[in-house]
Amino acid sequence: MAKDLKTLFVRCCGYLQDPHHVASFQKLCGVQGSFPVKLSRKEWENDFFVNGACVKRHQDQSGNGEGHVGGQQIEGPLQRKSVTAEEQHNDCSNKLQHGTALVSGIGETPEQQTVSHEGNRQSSGCRLTGKSSKAVESDRENGDSSGRVKPLRRNSLTGDVGQEFIIQNKFLFYLFTFGSELGNEMFFIVFFPFLIWNVDAFVSRRILVVWIWNLFLGQSTKDIVRWTRPASPPVVKVEVFYNSEYSMPSTHAMSGTAIPFSLFLLTYGRWQYPFLFGLSLAICWSFLVCVSRVYMGMHSVLEVITGFLYSLLILAVFQSTLDQIDSFYLTSHHAPLVIVILHVGLGFLAFTLDTWSTSRGDTAQALGTGAGAALASHLNHQLGLLADPPLSSLPLALPPLSAALLARSLLRLLLGVVVLLATRAAMKAATIPLACRVFGLPAGDVRQARQHMEVELSYRYIVYGTVSFSCVCLVPLLFSYLNLS
């Protein structure tokens, strides 16, 4: 019985890990790739050679092919502009010289024909999904390029800008792009400050603890399991920024689950709002982030489900200890030393799990952010700054919305985020060259320099530790000075 259950579980995991499910979901949502397709030898010969000339043949419904040689126009369902025989010969020779005419093995059946790897995408001129390469070029010349886009950001490790794809449903594209951004740096640099400055510093300190442990455990698990991203093709890489990282589990799904559910658990009962409203918001938030990772082609269904469940497990473990952790950070005289040793030690541990990648930097960034925020919270408590409301005032009532309240909140957010971004830019410009000089490393290539643990850890801890310290301690002092508290 146990063996049967294990077999069933393994089969279920294999089914959910299949990249074709990701590709099917993308197709359902209107994402169309432009992958070159392998041709059988017979198809290739029909496509490119007729009587020794390089031509393209098109089959009509009766199976008769019409080609063109020497500038004669093709007749058939798919027509293209005519070219001379010399141009055709040169084009074909170039394709053969550079290996871009993809030919499958002799005797290969149609079922054995597979799509080529994404690395051949730009060099192949044989056939594109849905349209031939010449048809695509013709569309571009005629201005028919609507919906044809590339990933918004290049891969931060390899510099890969990604492959062009077609978006047929712009609403879903923007919706899932927003959902994916809910797990990226710019969201965190806005969300946590807004929570601290305008809502509840008590809640934000605890959510930061949960978020940091989710990222650390999630990224570390990735480097232990070492599963690669879903294969492309068949998956379309709508995003490539994290494509060089391992993928199991999805840390976007973990963050997108930990933050909304911990926010709900920490605020319900402390603030007055309907239970169903808070629970529904947490579920919708988490669902949007999780589904967006499949849409982006970054994770399989299994990796997203695992990230979701893993995050719930971490949240269940830490939920009962958050009060003790927060109390120790605020009141203990040993807290600063413990905070520094713990967060730096975890960073060294994460860097020994695998070779350098963007996930190493993300882990160190989260740990540095947590260290800076914890040290600033300890200092605030010792100086009596940004005190939590007394227990007698609970539950807190949501203030009535007004133009003055919104204007004040937006002014705090805009001014504070500008200060944080300026701090981050200044620290970035100074930290990497300084770290390279201290450790005797060349600073000409920033990407290469950051692959050294000494530089990356120094950069992430100093920059984001300073930013989070400013967010929790220095910016609130600026608000008090400007009478914006």
Side-chain angles (χ1 to χ4, degrees):
M1 180 64 179
K3 186 177 181 180
D4 293 338
L5 290 176
K6 180 180 178 181
T7 302
L8 180 62
F9 176 75
V10 171
R11 288 180 178 177
C12 182
C13 290
Y15 177 80
L16 294 174
Q17 184 65 11
D18 189 346
H20 287 87
H21 298 315
V22 179
S24 297
F25 178 74
Q26 290 181 314
K27 185 177 180 181
L28 181 66
C29 294
V31 179
Q32 180 182 343
S34 56
F35 302 119
V37 180
K38 276 189 177 181
L39 304 178
S40 67
R41 180 176 295 276
K42 182 177 180 181
E43 288 178 318
W44 179 74
E45 290 175 348
N46 288 339
D47 280 354
F48 288 96
F49 288 99
V50 174
N51 297 327
C54 178
V55 300
K56 178 72 178 177
R57 296 170 61 92
H58 299 284
Q59 301 291 335
D60 58 20
Q61 294 180 354
S62 63
N64 297 322
E66 293 289 337
H68 69 281
V69 181
Q72 296 179 0
Q73 181 68 31
I74 293 177
E75 296 179 2
L78 281 178
Q79 295 187 354
R80 65 177 182 176
K81 61 183 181 181
S82 61
V83 294
T84 65
E86 181 180 359
E87 289 172 334
Q88 295 162 355
H89 177 73
N90 292 338
D91 179 65
C92 185
S93 299
N94 289 335
K95 285 178 170 59
L96 291 173
Q97 181 180 356
H98 296 287
T100 60
L102 304 177
V103 186
S104 61
I106 298 176
E108 187 178 30
T109 64
E111 289 77 17
Q112 293 172 326
Q113 296 169 12
T114 57
V115 290
S116 67
H117 190 271
E118 185 181 1
N120 298 325
R121 63 189 185 274
Q122 293 179 349
S123 61
S124 176
C126 295
R127 185 178 295 171
L128 299 177
T129 302
K131 289 186 177 182
S132 68
S133 59
K134 292 292 185 179
V136 171
E137 293 298 328
S138 177
D139 285 347
R140 288 178 180 171
E141 290 178 5
N142 296 330
D144 183 17
S145 60
S146 59
R148 188 176 292 274
V149 294
K150 277 193 173 184
L152 299 178
R153 295 179 296 172
R154 67 181 182 178
N155 185 284
S156 58
L157 175 61
T158 64
D160 181 22
V161 296
Q163 179 185 355
E164 195 175 64
F165 52 87
I166 299 172
I167 295 298
Q168 298 172 330
N169 190 322
K170 291 187 177 181
F171 171 76
L172 291 181
F173 173 71
Y174 292 125
L175 176 65
F176 289 127
T177 298
F178 171 75
S180 187
E181 287 298 321
L182 292 178
N184 289 337
E185 178 185 349
M186 279 310 301
F187 168 73
F188 297 131
I189 209 171
V190 172
F191 171 76
F192 284 116
F194 179 82
L195 201 62
I196 294 169
W197 302 332
N198 293 314
V199 184
D200 197 336
F202 172 91
V203 172
S204 67
R205 293 195 304 267
R206 286 158 169 76
I207 293 181
L208 269 172
V209 172
V210 175
W211 173 67
I212 290 163
W213 278 101
N214 263 268
L215 275 183
F216 171 75
L217 293 174
Q219 298 284 18
S220 300
T221 303
K222 280 184 177 182
D223 292 328
I224 294 173
V225 178
R226 298 187 181 185
W227 285 10
T228 57
R229 299 282 177 176
S232 175
V235 173
V236 180
K237 297 296 183 180
V238 181
E239 176 188 295
V240 296
F241 187 74
Y242 298 103
N243 197 40
S244 57
E245 295 182 10
Y246 297 121
S247 63
M248 179 63 165
S250 168
T251 47
H252 264 75
M254 293 181 69
S255 296
T257 300
I259 290 178
F261 279 97
S262 59
L263 180 64
F264 168 63
L265 293 174
L266 290 168
T267 56
Y268 183 72
R270 180 177 176 84
W271 288 83
Q272 297 177 9
Y273 62 83
F275 175 85
L276 287 179
F277 170 79
L279 181 60
S280 299
L281 179 61
I283 292 174
C284 291
W285 183 335
S286 177
F287 181 79
L288 178 60
V289 176
C290 291
V291 175
S292 72
R293 302 313 289 165
V294 179
Y295 177 90
M296 293 291 168
M298 287 290 97
H299 290 285
S300 68
V301 177
L302 177 64
E303 292 160 359
V304 168
I305 293 176
T306 303
F308 173 78
L309 296 177
Y310 197 7
S311 182
L312 291 182
L313 176 62
I314 295 172
L315 182 58
V317 171
F318 276 89
Q319 182 66 24
S320 60
T321 63
L322 290 177
D323 286 339
Q324 291 88 342
I325 293 174
D326 189 55
S327 177
F328 175 80
Y329 281 176
L330 294 181
T331 61
S332 175
H333 295 296
H334 304 292
L337 181 62
V338 172
I339 290 168
V340 172
I341 292 176
L342 176 64
H343 288 75
V344 174
L346 291 176
F348 277 107
L349 176 62
F351 268 75
T352 60
L353 293 176
D354 193 34
T355 57
W356 185 86
S357 70
T358 50
S359 64
R360 304 281 63 68
D362 292 342
T363 305
Q365 178 174 312
L367 291 169
T369 300
L375 291 172
S377 298
H378 177 82
L379 181 62
N380 283 343
H381 182 79
Q382 299 301 317
L383 298 178
L385 304 174
L386 209 64
D388 296 327
L391 295 178
S392 59
S393 63
L394 303 181
L396 302 173
L398 294 173
L401 291 178
S402 64
L405 176 64
L406 290 176
R408 199 175 188 85
S409 298
L410 288 176
L411 183 59
R412 280 197 294 263
L413 180 63
L414 292 175
L415 177 62
V417 168
V418 167
V419 172
L420 296 185
L421 291 176
T423 302
R424 185 182 67 163
M427 296 303 297
K428 273 187 174 182
T431 303
I432 295 180
L434 178 61
C436 290
R437 183 177 302 176
V438 170
F439 295 106
L441 298 171
D445 190 335
V446 174
R447 184 180 289 116
Q448 285 293 118
R450 284 175 52 187
Q451 294 188 28
H452 295 275
M453 180 178 66
E454 303 91 335
V455 175
E456 182 74 345
L457 282 177
S458 302
Y459 157 65
R460 297 287 185 170
Y461 277 99
I462 293 175
V463 171
Y464 290 95
T466 303
V467 169
S468 59
F469 186 91
S470 301
C471 174
V472 176
C473 183
L474 301 182
V475 174
L477 290 177
L478 176 62
F479 292 159
S480 298
Y481 177 78
L482 298 175
N483 197 26
L484 289 174
S485 298

